[in-house]
């Protein structure tokens, strides 16, 4: 059954369909127009049956069979936080600061909230490895002050992707 679902998913990708759980179940009954594949990538990596490969070949698309993607996928790309904004409470020192270093190394921009007036001295090392890091002095138990802090973070970074 799993191979059947993979076959349908690849088939739908070639047809340009957007997949949901219900559309996977009803893919054989769906009638949608064919997309313009002239701008599509010429190589699609997925699980494909010979009939799907033949259909793809007629449209100039080469399918590569891949049953070992876990061996060829770069984990760093899968877990990358490039250009994501992560807010860390309690990040002025200790475990929170260590977490800030971790997400910064994964490519994130870091907003640190802490009750202390000044961060630990290691915070300044973080500034040298992170593309954008900012320290906000705030109390997470004071709701109004925290709202103001989050408004400042949204203004400075443009968005928040993780807390």
């Amino acid at each position: 059954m799993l191979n059947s679902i993979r076959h349908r998913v690849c088939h739908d990708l070639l047809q340009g369909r957007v997949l949901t759980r219900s559309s996977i179940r009803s893919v054989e009954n769906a009638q949608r127009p064919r997309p313009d594949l002239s701008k599509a990538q010429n190589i699609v990596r997925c699980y494909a049956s010979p009939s799907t490969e033949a259909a793809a070949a007629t449209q100039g698309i080469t399918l590569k069979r891949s049953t070992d993607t876990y061996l060829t996928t770069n984990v760093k790309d899968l877990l990358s936080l490039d250009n994501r904004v992560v807010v860390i409470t309690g990040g002025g020192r200790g475990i929170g600061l260590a977490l800030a270093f971790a997400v910064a190394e994964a490519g994130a921009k870091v907003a640190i909230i802490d009750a202390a007036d000044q961060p630990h001295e290691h915070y300044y090392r973080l500034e040298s490895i992170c593309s954008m890091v900012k320290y906000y002095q705030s109390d997470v138990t004071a709701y109004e002050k925290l709202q103001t802090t989050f408004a400042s973070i949204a203004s400075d970074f443009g968005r928040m992707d993780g807390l």
Side-chain angles (χ1 to χ4, degrees), residues 12-78:
D12 275 5
L13 288 173
L14 289 173
Q15 300 297 317
R17 295 183 185 143
V18 176
L19 298 177
T20 63
R21 288 178 189 228
S22 61
S23 69
I24 289 175
R25 290 186 198 111
S26 63
V27 69
E28 292 154 355
N29 300 328
Q31 297 295 323
R32 294 192 178 104
R34 289 183 171 265
D36 177 17
L37 296 176
S38 61
K39 297 178 184 174
Q41 228 178 356
N42 289 332
I43 298 175
V44 177
R45 180 178 290 267
C46 65
Y47 296 88
S49 69
S51 62
T52 305
E53 287 178 354
T58 62
Q59 298 179 19
I61 298 174
T62 303
L63 293 181
K64 289 186 175 181
R65 288 181 185 242
S66 179
T67 58
D68 60 351
T69 55
Y70 65 94
L71 294 174
T72 58
T73 304
N74 184 343
V75 174
K76 186 175 179 183
D77 291 341
L78 291 173

Side-chain angles (χ1 to χ4, degrees), residues 5 21 32 48 50 60 73 86 90 107 112-113 119 147 150 161 163:
I5 292 172
R21 288 178 189 228
R32 294 192 178 104
T73 304
V86 177
I112 295 177
I113 301 173
Q147 275 186 312
F150 273 96
D161 297 303
L163 175 63

Side-chain angles (χ1 to χ4, degrees), residues 95-111:
I95 295 172
L97 187 56
L99 180 61
F101 272 93
V103 297
E105 287 177 16
K109 298 174 182 176
V110 184

